[in-house]
Amino acid sequence: KHMIMVQSDMSGFTRLTKQYGILHFLTLVMHCRRIFAAALDIHGGSIVKYDGDNVITIFTDTRTAVRAMQYVYQQLAAYNMRKEKDFQIRIKLGMSAGVAVIIHHDIVGDAWDECCQLGEDTAKVGELLVTERVKGDLEALPSSEIIECQFDSRDDPFPHHNIKFA
C-alpha cells in the first residue's frame, strides 16, 4: 500500500560503545525510542519495528510524517541541550513516499529502499532527507496546512532534499 516511511539511524555506536560500554549507547537508544513514541502519540503514525538503534515508522500522509519528525528534532534538541557530544542523541533521518509491503516485520518496496538509502547511507547527523515526492507533497499543501521549512536540494544517489525547519 502507499505510505510515508521514515527511518532513523543513530550515530556513534562503535566509538561510544568502545569508550563507555554498550549500556551507555543502549541508554541513548531507549531515550530516542521514547521521543519517537511521544511524537507518534501526538501526531500519528506507527512504529513498524526497531532495528538495533534504528526506528522505522510509517504514516498515511506527508504532513503528519513531517510534523512528527519536526517534533522529534525539537525534543532531541531539548534532550541534547547542555550535554556533551558523547551523551547526546545524534540521529539522521530518511523519508520517502510510495508503495511498500509490510509482512510482520519484513519490509519490501521502493518506498522502503529509498527511505533506507537516505536515512542509513546518505544523511549526515541532524539531517532529514526526503525524496522528491515528499517535497512535492509538502509544496502542494493548502496554505492553511503549510509547514515552514526550507529545502536544500541534492542529487546523489538520486534527487532528494534536506528539510530545514524555520
Side-chain angles (χ1 to χ4, degrees):
K1 65 181 183 178
H2 180 273
M3 62 187 76
I4 311 302
M5 299 200 76
V6 178
Q7 180 193 14
S8 72
D9 182 34
M10 286 182 64
S11 178
F13 172 78
T14 302
R15 187 181 64 77
L16 292 175
T17 53
K18 280 184 180 179
Q19 187 165 351
Y20 300 102
I22 189 68
L23 291 179
H24 171 74
F25 195 78
L26 288 177
T27 299
L28 296 175
V29 168
M30 297 312 292
H31 283 299
C32 184
R33 288 180 180 183
R34 279 197 283 282
I35 289 170
F36 268 85
L40 299 180
D41 284 346
I42 293 167
H43 296 282
S46 304
I47 293 175
V48 174
K49 67 179 179 176
Y50 300 112
D51 189 13
D53 60 19
N54 297 344
V55 180
I56 297 139
T57 59
I58 57 171
F59 299 86
T60 57
D61 66 274
T62 301
R63 183 180 183 279
T64 300
V66 172
R67 282 279 187 228
M69 294 309 104
Q70 184 178 28
Y71 178 88
V72 165
Y73 273 118
Q74 290 167 345
Q75 295 305 303
L76 287 173
Y79 178 87
N80 290 339
M81 192 181 314
R82 296 187 205 99
K83 286 186 172 64
E84 294 178 35
K85 181 180 174 183
D86 287 356
F87 295 86
Q88 294 177 349
I89 300 169
R90 299 169 46 78
I91 67 168
K92 46 192 183 158
L93 296 171
M95 181 185 295
S96 64
V99 176
V101 176
I102 301 172
I103 301 171
H104 303 289
H105 290 294
D106 294 324
I107 309 166
V108 295
D110 291 341
W112 171 241
D113 294 341
E114 291 173 349
C115 175
C116 271
Q117 185 150 25
L118 291 178
E120 188 84 24
D121 300 331
T122 309
K124 294 177 177 54
V125 171
E127 291 185 328
L128 167 55
L129 299 184
V130 302
T131 60
E132 189 75 24
R133 185 167 181 179
V134 170
K135 180 182 184 238
D137 288 351
L138 287 173
E139 292 174 334
L141 288 173
S143 60
S144 61
E145 296 181 18
I146 288 178
I147 298 172
E148 300 257 345
C149 62
Q150 297 176 339
F151 298 100
D152 174 18
S153 299
R154 303 175 187 166
D155 290 320
D156 187 33
F158 50 82
H160 64 278
H161 312 274
N162 181 31
I163 292 182
K164 297 179 182 180
F165 297 106

